[in-house]
Amino acid sequence: MILHEFMSYEVLRVIWWLLIGVLLIAFALTDGFDMGVGALLPFVAREDAERRVVINTVGPVWEGNQAWFILGGGAIFAAWPPLYAISFSGFYLAMFLILAALILRPVAFKYRSKREDPAWRARWDWALFISGTVPPLLFGVAVGNVLLGAPFHLTEDLHSIYEGGAFGKLFGLLRPFALLCGVVSVAMLVAHGAGWLVLKTEGAIQQRARSFGSKAALVAMIGYALAGLWLAFGIEGYVFVSEPLHDGPSNPLLSEVVRQGSWLAAYGTRPWIILAPVMGFVGMAMAMRALRESRGDLSPLMWSQMGIFGMISSVGLTMFPFILPSNSNPDSSLTVWDASSSHMTLFVMLVASVIFLPLILLYTAWVYRVLWGKVTTDEVSDPDKHAY
């Protein structure tokens, strides 16, 4: 009886909402510093040897880090099919650009060192910059559009209709608030990448990373604060007209939703969630301080991780239980209570996650333990130690 109560449909839905958040935050914390390093590459490395040092700090780990993105996408597909269908089709062109940029990264890694021509290598360095800047920018824009509401509606047979046309699916996303969220996303990952470079490099590269990273952390905090004020005074939230059935069928049209008030009203009903934005501000502020004052090699990375965790989790906690609101038909909005897979599917997936997720974490920890240490100019000149 106790197990049945714990594994009720309602509880499983909340567990999978949390797990999706964990997977996406894990992607930001790991592959986030890879992208941040790529965005910093043209600015922290002035000559070819320095650029090779920067590239080799992430070369051995980026593939494993990117696996969290695949896990997150797969989990959304299996646990929240309507969310996967509407978001991936509605944000199709933006998602295509993200994937193209992510594909560009390994190509740049592999081809950069094939020729010693400086112009050839410079072009691939800028390709790495693009692959490190475009994904976080568009991820942030996507988050901003989720908070604003996406232009879709569901028919009576739950067929989703995304409005705006093909070009609207890209340029329609570039709304001012969404662009601000994109800037925050890029800035916080650049600060995170700077923290990684402080940990993995030394000398001039490390000092430049500290300089650029501290500025990026400041931009992230200012942008995050502006976004919060914008949410408080310029963007309506979503609320249920009456309490939905938490363990009912996955049919959003069974609930009545309206736009009113502010997203930040959630802090009045669930005051404890204030911990998330506090962690975001404190983490980024301490990362900026650690970068500016040269406080250890590990502390900037750890503080930036805290900041990213707080900033991203604050979005999910503020919106709960909404996961993809509709601004054209609020009743079509997807929520935790009406957009999941079946009870059995969620339970089987949870059992698999309990078995395999700890193994992934242990393996990841072992890899980072093996690769611990700084990358130096002398080491990258040895082809037996570094491939890039």
Side-chain angles (χ1 to χ4, degrees):
M1 179 62 71
I2 295 177
L3 181 61
H4 179 267
E5 285 295 324
F6 181 73
M7 293 300 171
S8 68
Y9 203 6
E10 176 184 359
V11 170
L12 282 170
R13 281 170 161 167
V14 174
I15 289 174
W16 272 103
W17 172 80
L18 288 170
L19 283 176
I20 293 298
V22 168
L23 292 174
L24 296 180
I25 291 174
F27 170 63
L29 294 181
T30 55
D31 205 37
F33 68 69
D34 295 337
M35 290 185 283
V37 167
L40 284 168
L41 176 62
F43 309 105
V44 299
R46 304 287 173 81
E47 56 187 33
D48 186 65
E50 290 182 343
R51 294 189 182 100
R52 291 192 64 206
V53 168
V54 172
I55 292 170
N56 277 283
T57 63
V58 297
V61 297
W62 71 267
E63 288 179 286
N65 293 339
Q66 193 167 284
W68 291 103
F69 179 57
I70 300 170
L71 286 173
I76 292 174
F77 171 78
W80 308 97
L83 174 62
Y84 180 91
I86 295 173
S87 62
F88 277 61
S89 60
F91 300 161
Y92 177 80
L93 291 177
M95 190 63 66
F96 177 83
L97 290 177
I98 290 173
L99 293 177
L102 292 177
I103 292 170
L104 184 63
R105 176 168 56 182
V107 176
F109 278 149
K110 297 299 182 183
Y111 278 89
R112 183 189 186 278
S113 297
K114 297 298 182 182
R115 295 172 57 185
E116 296 186 1
D117 178 24
W120 168 271
R121 294 190 171 186
R123 285 192 289 269
W124 288 116
D125 290 339
W126 283 106
L128 288 171
F129 169 79
I130 292 171
S131 69
T133 306
V134 170
L137 175 65
L138 293 181
F139 281 133
V141 167
V143 170
N145 277 277
V146 169
L147 287 163
L148 290 167
F152 73 93
H153 68 273
L154 300 175
T155 63
E156 291 184 359
D157 59 356
L158 300 184
H159 177 64
S160 62
I161 306 296
Y162 197 95
E163 302 158 8
F167 287 101
K169 290 182 179 181
L170 178 60
F171 296 108
L173 301 177
L174 304 180
R175 294 181 276 183
F177 176 77
L179 288 172
L180 174 61
C181 293
V183 170
V184 173
S185 177
V186 172
M188 72 180 186
L189 293 191
V190 168
H192 194 40
W196 178 255
L197 288 176
V198 167
L199 176 66
K200 297 291 291 184
T201 65
E202 55 190 15
I205 298 174
Q206 187 187 74
Q207 292 306 311
R208 294 182 199 122
R210 288 185 181 276
S211 176
F212 283 104
S214 62
K215 295 179 177 65
L218 178 61
V219 171
M221 286 190 294
I222 294 173
Y224 187 60
L226 290 175
L229 291 173
W230 204 329
L231 280 178
F233 301 108
I235 298 174
E236 284 186 313
Y238 289 73
V239 295
F240 286 105
V241 173
S242 59
E243 187 66 19
L245 189 62
H246 294 180
D247 58 355
S250 290
N251 183 349
L253 297 180
L254 297 179
S255 301
E256 187 177 353
V257 176
V258 295
R259 296 203 69 175
Q260 68 178 35
S262 166
W263 281 121
L264 301 190
Y267 292 88
T269 56
R270 303 190 302 275
W272 60 270
I273 66 175
I274 193 67
L275 290 174
V278 168
M279 288 177 64
F281 280 116
V282 171
M284 279 298 156
M286 293 302 295
M288 180 178 68
R289 182 182 180 187
L291 288 166
R292 284 182 174 177
E293 299 181 4
S294 301
R295 294 194 169 206
D297 290 352
L298 181 59
S299 59
L301 183 68
M302 301 303 293
W303 284 118
S304 66
Q305 287 180 333
M306 175 180 168
I308 291 170
F309 179 88
M311 289 181 175
I312 296 177
S313 62
S314 69
V315 177
L317 292 170
T318 300
M319 292 183 61
F320 183 86
F322 291 91
I323 50 180
L324 184 61
S326 167
N327 60 18
S328 60
N329 180 15
D331 287 344
S332 297
S333 300
L334 306 184
T335 75
V336 172
W337 312 128
D338 53 29
S340 70
S341 292
S342 68
H343 190 167
M344 179 60 70
T345 299
L346 296 182
F347 177 76
V348 172
M349 289 173 56
L350 181 61
V351 172
S353 299
V354 169
I355 296 172
F356 291 106
L357 194 56
L359 296 177
I360 295 172
L361 292 172
L362 287 172
Y363 173 74
T364 302
W366 177 78
V367 169
Y368 278 95
R369 176 67 182 86
V370 170
L371 297 173
W372 193 261
K374 292 186 178 292
V375 180
T376 66
T377 305
D378 291 337
E379 286 181 338
V380 297
S381 63
D382 186 345
D384 295 330
K385 291 185 178 181
H386 295 276
Y388 304 109

